[in-house]
Amino acid sequence: MTFKSARKKKITKAERLKQLQEEEERRQKEEEEARVKHEKEEMERLERQRIEREKWHQLEAKDLERRNEELEELYLLEECFPEAEKLKRDTRLLSQWNHYIQCDGSPDPSVSPEINTFISLWKEETNETLEEVIAKSKLVLNLIEKLRLLLLQTPSYDLEDKTIIQYRGSILELQELLHLKFNVATERLLRQASTLADLDSGNMEKVIQDENVTLYVWANLKKNPRYRSVRFSETQIRFEIPRILATSGIAIRLLHTHYDHATPLRPVSASLQGHTATVTHFVKDEVQKGEAEISKELQEEYKQQECESVSVCEEETKVEEQGDIEVQMSFVQEESEATKCKLEMKLLSEAVFAAQLLLIENANEKPCFCEDNEVDLCQFTTLGGVYHLDIFELPPQCKPMKGWMIVEILKEGLQKYIYPPESTEDFETENAFPPIEVTLEVQENVIFFEDPMVARWDAEGKHWQTDGISNVLYQSEERLITFSLETFGPVTLIQDTHINMPFQSWELRPLDVNKVLLTVTTVFTEIQIQIKENLCMLASVKVDNKKHSSTLEGRWMTPISFILALKETGLNIFPTGHSHFYVVINHKEPLVEIKAYRQLALLSSAFAFGWSKWNVECSSKKVIVKLREHLTEEEPVQDPNWTLLMFSGDRAQRLKINENSETFSEALKEETEFHSTLYHLVKDFASKEAMEKIRSSKCQFIDSVCYMLLSTRLLSYS
């Protein structure tokens, strides 16, 4: 092969231009095809959007068209709330009647003359022993609890200001008198200390244990300077006292009340009083107005019938007309009674709604605490009762004389020993009055999720504070707490009120007709609550994924009593109006929240509801929950087929996304519609059996479920 043939043929200029022209034409063609394709896709997209908008507007129009009808049906269903309130009123009245016919000698604490007579008569009894006072304290504590529940269970619109003042005044009087009785009985015991002295130590020791009170009394009769450690036999209670106390004629008393009468009763907020007064006056005015209108209608009907009867000439016809008038008057009266009942039910419904709204109302201002070490009782809760630590001067002892016991009774009564004294100038060393080391037993039925803090009562400021306490050591296994105290007085253990908030998840699941199980999961615990009719019960508690036994398990109580009992054991999952200042919450509009709780309660007999992670993503004007039909009492399915619902208070819809979707979208699920209520939304896909269960639910059950949802505020605090 020659060299020339082997060489590549050189491209001419014309050929290069032709090649470039072809490439340009090809590029333009591709661009044109891409443009046409893009325009086609854009047109298709716009067409889809137009169709979706049209469909959306059609759905909105359809929803608007049937809204009044759906809201009217919901109103009829929600009549269960005023009906439940009427039953609660009847129960309160029946309780008063049952107490009256019982004739057991105990006073009715709601009747002022009865409770005042009881207090006066008990004040006159001055020679009671500690055992007698402790026995009587059961009745007193029962009376206090009744008054406390009356204040909490009676709706604000049914409570007058003077009634609130009366009940609170009776509670304070009973609390003060009970504590005074313990002091008087302690003085009587200490006067006999020498006759009750222990043979080994020579000092007196007394321990009395009861379900509500545990009392420890030690009297220093020997004044031995080497006897510096006071430990009560068969207990872990211990005091390490300084030399000056070991050589003084003193007595140490530890009165552990399993209740808290030291913390002042919380005052009714001004906003609540104003709201209550407004609701009360509104209800009364509307009832009076309604009665006046009904009376006016009756009079007009009567006059009209009377005029017609006068115009009749013949006597026989007149008699017949008179009979007709009586029949018609009877009909009008029946009709007016029905109108009056309807009006009263409407007003009661509005009052109940307003009272429910108060349960989820957030306070506008954070409470102010002036002292540096003052305990914020909106942030912390006292648990395990109050330990009243006192040092008393030993009173004069009984002396036997010729078969008699002679004792000097001091006019001023039992005197406290001031430690440390107000002036320490007369004492040689600066450290003559060191802090006293105290070891206390923690109440068994109380749960502390973290080491408790110790607070002491400031009698002057009337509050708890944390100064004057050091070297705190909590032994959780032994349930013992040791600390050093500068001066004696009431002390208590406190825990963060919101330690279990916000919640990690929740689920409301039917167990049977008129019976559900509410499960709330927090960082530390899982709490299961059964609700049936007008009662609640603690089903189980898990702490750190381990079963925890509680004294409350298996005990059915009314919702308010149940909530109080849970709080007192440290299982607080109930936010207050100030909780949003201490917890990061997923704020929801109160009207949206309350409507959601009421409608979830209506559906709870046949549907399970649960926490959705998307509830945080939507706005404060909307809530999202997951739902599935649940008709049998089987164990919960591990991965059930949940449906997501979004509700804004006046519109409910099913969402296209599910719990496992990667991004949030408010897109409507295919082939579904908008509805004005959750009830009508689930009606589209619910079985007949489910709807029958919902319609057969009792009003008290729905009211109890709703109250528990309002009290836990799961949609805002999860």
Side-chain angles (χ1 to χ4, degrees), residues 484-497:
S484 296
L485 198 60
E486 290 181 5
T487 182
F488 268 29
V491 298
T492 191
L493 307 181
I494 59 175
Q495 178 171 260
D496 185 353
T497 303

Side-chain angles (χ1 to χ4, degrees), residues 391-406:
I391 306 175
F392 296 115
E393 294 179 3
L394 267 180
Q397 296 298 294
C398 296
K399 296 177 182 177
M401 187 176 291
K402 297 181 180 179
W404 293 81
M405 294 296 289
I406 306 298

